[in-house]
Amino acid sequence: MQQEFTPMILIHLGAALAALVLGIAVFLRRKGNLAHRVLGRAWVGLMLVTAITTYWIRGGGNFSWIHGLSVISLVALCFAVYFAMTGNILRHQRIMKGVFFGGLVVAGAFTLLPARLLGHALRSSLGVI
Ligand code: HEM
């Protein structure tokens, strides 16, 4: 397990939490207008930071299966942007939902496990362990 919150972990965590909040806003707002395009680009930027920073976060010294999620997310984001730019909105929508729920929400939920740094920190601050 990762022992402490390194600067790279803090950048990863900040980008992921910002992407979570912004992602919810993008899902709830109207699609296709200028605001959607601006907020959507910002969300993709945050997701890129979230995924790319994991290259420098290796709790056990090696890459783990969660790093596979980073690679999948990066590829999926490229496809989602490509489909938006070429007008294939159905595929754009499906991939963005997949990255948000299957990538961000699932990866976020896993960080709350007791063996992970955030889960451990939360439990200690609540006095559970
Ligand atoms: C709200 C969402 C997220 C939160 C709160 C979060 C938080 C964290 C934290 C605190 C760490 C470092 C400590 C640890 O591993 O326990 C970490 C590591 C990591 N995260 Fe995230 N993250 C989120 C989303 C994501 C996403 C979307 C991806 C992939 C696209 C991702 C991939 C990784 C990877 C690969 C590691 C390194 C794991 C290892 O050391 O083997 N995370 N995350």
Side-chain angles (χ1 to χ4, degrees):
M1 185 185 81
Q2 197 79 36
Q3 296 299 314
E4 58 178 14
F5 284 97
T6 63
M8 203 51 91
I9 291 180
L10 292 175
I11 294 171
H12 172 76
L13 183 59
L17 292 179
L20 203 59
V21 174
L22 187 59
I24 293 169
V26 173
F27 272 120
L28 295 178
R29 291 176 62 97
R30 247 188 97 196
K31 314 292 184 294
N33 55 15
L34 181 66
H36 175 79
R37 288 200 289 271
V38 172
L39 295 178
R41 280 187 173 95
W43 186 78
V44 169
L46 288 169
M47 285 302 293
L48 290 179
V49 173
T50 302
I52 291 169
T53 47
T54 63
Y55 182 82
W56 291 274
I57 308 171
R58 284 175 249 166
N62 291 316
F63 290 111
S64 67
W65 66 270
I66 319 174
H67 289 91
L69 197 59
S70 301
V71 176
I72 293 170
S73 299
L74 286 173
V75 174
L77 284 168
C78 292
F79 274 105
V81 171
Y82 169 77
F83 285 132
M85 289 169 72
T86 52
N88 196 334
I89 303 307
L90 192 65
R91 284 194 167 162
H92 164 72
Q93 195 183 61
R94 280 187 186 152
I95 295 176
M96 284 309 198
K97 279 184 185 166
V99 175
F100 183 80
F101 293 105
L104 189 59
V105 174
V106 167
F110 270 109
T111 60
L112 298 176
L113 289 173
R116 302 285 301 276
L117 192 57
L118 198 60
H120 183 75
L122 280 176
R123 274 174 184 72
S124 322
S125 64
L126 292 173
V128 178
I129 44 171

